[in-house]
Amino acid sequence: MTVDDGLLKRLLLAPGPSGFEAPAQEVVRSRLAALGEVQADALGNVWLAVGHGGTPRVAVVAHADQIGLIVTHVDEHGYLFIDKIGGVAPVLVPGRHFVVHGAAGPVQAVGGKKPSHIIPVAERNVAPPLEEQFLDIGAATREDALRRVAVGDPVTFTPDYVQLAPGVVASQALDDRAGVYAMMRALEHYAADPGAAELTGVATVHEETTCMGAKAQARRMEADVLVVVDGDFCSDTPAADAKRLAGEVRLGAGPVLGRGAGSNQRLLAFAREVAAAEGIAVQIKAYPEASSTDADELMATGAATLSLSIPVRYMHSPFEVAHTDDLEAAARLVAALARRAGEVWTGGSFEPRA
Ligand SMILES: [Zn+2]
C-alpha cells in the first residue's frame, strides 16, 4: 500500500501537546484545504466535510494532540521544573533530549539526573517523582533562562521520525497522528471516489488530558455513523501480553475493531463485512469498559459509533512504533464504510442486519 511519507512525517514532526496543538493542526488545515472549506473552533478542533449535505452523515475523528511536559518553575540556577501533559511516566524524563517550545523558538533541553554512581542502590531502578525532576537548558541563571523560556511553555521529546524497516516507523506522536493521517487519507480517498454519504473528518484537541475537544465537537456534531480512530496497544512485543491487553494485536496485521463498550455492535459487524469485501485484514479486540478515547464522549451524540484502532507499540514514549500498512488500511476501510453506509442507515434508523 502506498503511504504518503511526506504527509506522515510532517504530522509526526509537528509539536502539539494537549492545549498547544496549533502546529499539528496547521499541517491538517493546509492539507485538507485542497478538499474544501476547513472549519475550526476556538478550542482548536479542525474539521472538513466531503459531500456536504449527503446522507447518511458519517464522521471520522482522530485526536491531533500528543503527550508532553509543561514548564512550571525556573529556579535561581536556570533549571526548569516541569509537570506532565497527559500520561508521561517519570522514568521517561532523566537523561533524555527534549525541546521546550518557547515563544522565540525551540530551546534544546535534557532531563537532569544524578550520576548513576551516587544513586543509592535501593533507588537505582526507579525514577524520581516528576516534581523532583528538572530540565537543563544550559542557562547560567534564572534571568538567563527566562530570556528563552517561560512558565507554561510546552515541552516535547525531540521530534524525530525513524524508519526501522520498510513500513515500520518510530516517532513520539503516532498516538494519535497515525489516526489523524488515516482520517485525512480517508477523506482524500472518499473525495476521489465518493458515495451518497457526507463524510466529515475531524482532528480533535485535548484528548490526552480532558477530551475537551471531543466534548465540544459532540455538542455540534450531527453524525449518524461515527468512526473514532486512535492508537491501541500491541501485544506482539516482549513487553506486552495479549491476555492483559484484552486481545492479540499485531503490528502490520490491520486496523483493530473494538468489540464492546467502544462500538455499536451492528456497525462493527457491518465494518467486518465491508473490510472482507475490500480485502482489508482487520483485528478484533475486546473493550470491556470505557475506551479511554474520544469515543467515550462522542458516543453520547447518539451516533452509531465504531472504535477503529491503529496498532501502536510503546505507547506514550519517545518512540512509539506503527506500520504504515495499518494506517493506509484504516483509511481505505473508513472510505469504503462511508461509501456503503447508506446500506445500513436508512430513513433515520440503523437497520439491523441478518
Ligand atoms: Zn490516543
Side-chain angles (χ1 to χ4, degrees):
M1 261 173 273
T2 341
V3 66
D4 186 336
D5 280 316
L7 174 63
L8 183 59
K9 198 170 173 182
R10 282 196 301 284
L11 278 170
L12 291 170
L13 293 179
S18 311
F20 301 91
E21 298 91 346
Q25 292 292 49
E26 194 45 47
V27 177
V28 177
R29 277 170 173 277
S30 63
R31 176 71 171 224
L32 292 187
L35 297 180
E37 191 198 346
V38 181
Q39 294 180 272
D41 64 12
L43 206 55
N45 289 320
V46 168
W47 66 94
L48 173 121
V50 172
H52 187 67
T55 52
R57 292 160 301 187
V58 181
V60 52
V61 181
H63 70 87
D65 59 309
Q66 69 190 86
I67 59 162
L69 300 170
I70 188 166
V71 177
T72 56
H73 174 67
V74 181
D75 80 2
E76 67 270 32
H77 306 293
Y79 293 108
L80 316 186
F81 286 75
I82 49 184
D83 203 345
K84 61 186 166 67
I85 296 178
V88 180
V91 70
L92 292 175
V93 176
R96 285 191 196 272
H97 187 185
F98 291 91
V99 173
V100 182
H101 301 280
V107 176
Q108 304 299 318
V110 294
K113 68 186 284 289
K114 282 182 187 172
S116 299
H117 322 62
I118 63 164
I119 303 176
V121 173
E123 293 173 23
R124 280 189 193 163
N125 295 325
V126 292
L130 214 49
E131 58 268 26
E132 289 175 21
Q133 298 203 40
F134 57 93
L135 303 183
D136 186 341
I137 60 166
T141 61
R142 182 168 201 266
E143 292 63 38
D144 186 21
L146 290 174
R147 279 192 272 274
R148 292 187 283 152
V149 302
V151 168
D153 281 347
V155 182
T156 60
F157 301 113
T158 305
D160 203 352
Y161 175 88
V162 179
Q163 289 257 12
L164 300 178
V168 183
V169 297
S171 184
Q172 66 180 300
L174 280 160
D175 170 20
D176 183 30
R177 305 281 164 70
V180 173
Y181 174 91
M183 175 275 285
M184 292 166 74
R185 294 287 286 159
L187 288 175
E188 291 177 349
H189 290 321
Y190 189 70
D193 180 13
E198 171 184 282
L199 178 62
T200 301
V202 187
T204 61
V205 291
H206 297 225
E207 192 271 352
E208 298 288 357
T209 51
T210 58
C211 287
M212 197 56 72
K215 286 176 186 167
Q217 204 64 24
R219 292 185 178 199
R220 67 170 71 87
M221 194 170 248
E222 293 179 326
D224 303 305
V225 174
L226 179 62
V227 183
V228 177
V229 190
D230 207 333
D232 206 340
F233 311 107
C234 280
S235 64
D236 63 350
T237 81
D241 176 349
K243 292 190 287 296
R244 290 183 174 208
L245 293 176
E248 195 178 343
V249 172
R250 288 181 295 117
L251 200 77
V256 183
L257 305 178
R259 185 153 186 243
S263 294
N264 173 292
Q265 296 315 306
R266 292 204 297 270
L267 180 58
L268 178 109
F270 183 61
R272 292 179 85 162
E273 189 183 313
V274 171
E278 297 285 323
I280 298 170
V282 293
Q283 311 183 71
I284 300 289
K285 184 177 164 174
Y287 275 39
E289 46 189 331
S291 65
S292 300
T293 69
D294 280 344
D296 296 337
E297 300 297 333
L298 294 166
M299 287 181 97
T301 61
T305 302
L306 178 69
S307 285
L308 178 69
S309 304
I310 311 277
V312 175
R313 291 179 183 162
Y314 322 124
M315 193 96 78
H316 289 194
S317 83
F319 289 101
E320 302 173 335
V321 171
H323 200 300
T324 56
D325 282 355
D326 294 333
L327 276 60
E328 280 298 328
R332 289 203 298 123
L333 179 55
V334 170
L337 205 57
R339 259 176 234 123
R340 291 184 52 186
E343 293 176 29
V344 290
W345 185 272
T346 50
S349 69
F350 202 81
E351 295 295 318
R353 294 182 66 83

